[in-house]
Amino acid sequence: MSGDRRRVLLLGSTGSIGTQTLDVIAANPRRFEVVGLAAGRNAALLAEQAERFGVRATALGAEAAEALVRDVPADVVVNGITGAAGLGPTLAALETGPVLALANKESLIIGGPLVKALAAPERIVPVDSEHSALAQCLASGTHDEVRRLVLTASGGPFRGRTREQLAAVTPAEALAHPTWDMGLMVTTNSATLVNKGLEVIEASLLFDVPFDRIDVVVHPQSIVHSMVEFTDGATIAQASPPDMRLPISLGLDWPHRVPGVGTPLDWTRAQSWTFEPLDEQAFPAVELAKRVGTEGGTAPAVLNAANEQAVHAFHAGRIGFLDILAVVEDVLGAVPRPTGGLTREAVLEADRAAREEADRRLSATP
């Protein structure tokens, strides 16, 4: 355990990551103290949380969350905001000094060099289960000894289906994830594997590993959360029952572990873990994300924004499941990329232009 009680500023407190973070904090009151809470729209639950944890500093909305980060001193900022709205709070946390426990992968993906330029070593601690697993495995060797990163994917609700079989799937089926309980956007992204593609971009940025040395393998049991292969042939894996409280706890107090936060594996029970190659024909999102990540600049922002608009259109019944990625690719081909260095303004403009272009194409859909 680290020394003093850690002051925690929690963004996205009413979402899945936020509520589980508060569970960890409530179980460890001597270790963590909540000093600020921010939510997107759920003012009623935010008020309940603030009363429960005795928090005076609260905010509603992404801009208010960014102001909260700049105004409230904290040791760690947990960014559990969903989507591109998390970029401002991410930059604010890195500019003001606390450790950033990052569950908002989009801010790193679209912000890329902007975020990395502010991130001193171990200032960003990933909260995604896969990236937390990679961080734990990477402790087994030096950066020069890493041969490749291997991210695991559950395969989502449509594992094993062909591309033809995916054409008629419904929004309700897309939300029936076999392992994780997540919100609409993340769950749908897990069904298309866009989420895994974004995680590949995130892994490359977090750990400075090129895309040709990052693989994805399907692991339906979701017990092995990711692996690192080293140059001597050893592969180190992090395994635990699926429970986000474990990576959340590491994000709160990295590199220290919080006793009792998760349930260990039961080695007295017979069990099998399986690994399958990713069907890139049925699920091309990972390969697309690698191309976008390699291009860099504002391309990841265009990918993320177009995907968000297409996912909402799918759930509104305006397009089919396979059309989600088709819209994304069309928007990537249509939105121009600015030259020169990446700026926050350029990222936000790319986000706006991509959403506008996606909406234009979606409105033309019969």
Side-chain angles (χ1 to χ4, degrees):
M1 176 176 173
S2 58
D4 298 329
R5 194 178 184 211
R6 305 207 83 192
R7 299 167 298 171
V8 179
L9 186 56
L10 175 57
L11 314 180
S13 65
T14 60
S16 175
I17 291 294
T19 54
Q20 291 180 86
T21 300
L22 291 175
D23 288 343
V24 173
I25 292 172
N28 296 273
R30 295 183 181 179
R31 192 160 185 156
F32 307 113
E33 173 191 7
V34 185
V35 294
L37 294 167
R41 294 183 298 273
N42 194 338
L45 180 54
L46 176 65
E48 290 177 16
Q49 292 173 335
E51 182 177 1
R52 178 187 173 197
F53 287 88
V55 178
R56 293 184 178 181
T58 62
L60 204 61
E63 291 186 6
E66 182 176 347
L68 191 72
V69 172
R70 297 188 186 280
D71 293 342
V72 178
D75 299 304
V76 57
V77 173
V78 179
N79 188 349
I81 295 172
T82 300
L87 176 60
T90 283
L91 295 175
L94 294 174
E95 288 167 355
T96 53
V99 169
L100 174 63
L102 187 61
N104 172 253
K105 67 171 65 67
E106 294 90 348
S107 59
L108 174 60
I109 291 162
I110 69 176
L114 295 177
V115 175
K116 290 203 65 177
L118 296 170
E122 297 200 347
R123 282 284 308 288
I124 299 180
V125 181
V127 172
D128 273 351
S129 61
E130 295 85 355
H131 300 88
S132 177
L134 290 172
Q136 294 172 67
C137 295
L138 285 166
S140 297
T142 66
H143 186 272
D144 291 342
E145 294 171 332
V146 174
R147 178 177 287 158
R148 68 181 59 250
L149 309 180
V150 183
L151 281 79
T152 55
S154 70
F158 304 134
R159 179 178 64 87
R161 297 200 193 187
T162 65
R163 185 168 180 80
E164 292 72 24
Q165 292 171 328
L166 291 172
V169 301
T170 67
E173 289 175 313
L175 292 177
H177 196 280
T179 306
W180 301 104
D181 181 16
M182 304 170 288
L184 180 145
M185 185 62 62
V186 177
T187 305
T188 308
N189 286 349
S190 294
T192 60
L193 264 75
V194 164
N195 205 48
K196 200 57 53 177
L198 296 178
E199 288 173 3
V200 167
I201 298 176
E202 185 181 8
S204 179
L205 289 166
L206 279 171
F207 304 117
D208 294 315
V209 175
F211 290 102
D212 61 356
R213 290 167 50 202
I214 303 177
D215 293 336
V216 172
V217 64
V218 176
H219 171 53
Q221 295 79 22
S222 299
I223 297 295
V224 174
H225 298 289
S226 278
M227 299 172 276
V228 175
E229 178 185 312
F230 290 93
T231 52
D232 61 357
T235 297
I236 305 298
Q238 188 267 320
S240 59
D243 185 342
M244 282 303 299
R245 290 174 298 176
L246 193 154
I248 287 169
S249 68
L250 283 165
L252 289 172
D253 206 6
W254 179 265
H256 308 284
R257 295 184 179 272
V258 178
V261 73
T263 303
L265 292 165
D266 181 1
W267 297 107
T268 66
R269 181 177 60 85
Q271 54 193 299
S272 297
W273 304 347
T274 59
F275 301 90
E276 309 163 9
L278 176 64
D279 182 350
E280 294 183 351
Q281 183 176 2
F283 300 98
V286 171
E287 187 57 37
L288 174 63
K290 285 186 176 183
R291 296 201 308 268
V292 168
T294 299
E295 177 183 338
T298 58
V302 173
L303 166 66
N304 181 72
N307 176 71
E308 288 186 3
Q309 300 306 101
V311 166
H312 288 305
F314 168 64
H315 283 281
R318 295 166 58 195
I319 60 173
F321 184 76
L322 293 179
D323 295 325
I324 295 174
L325 214 60
V327 168
V328 171
E329 294 201 69
D330 286 347
V331 173
L332 280 165
V335 175
R337 317 282 199 269
T339 57
L342 192 67
T343 64
R344 180 174 179 177
E345 291 71 26
V347 170
L348 295 177
E349 172 57 24
D351 180 89
R352 185 205 61 78
R355 292 179 194 277
E356 185 177 274
E357 179 65 23
D359 289 344
R360 186 184 70 80
R361 292 173 181 271
L362 289 164
S363 65
T365 302

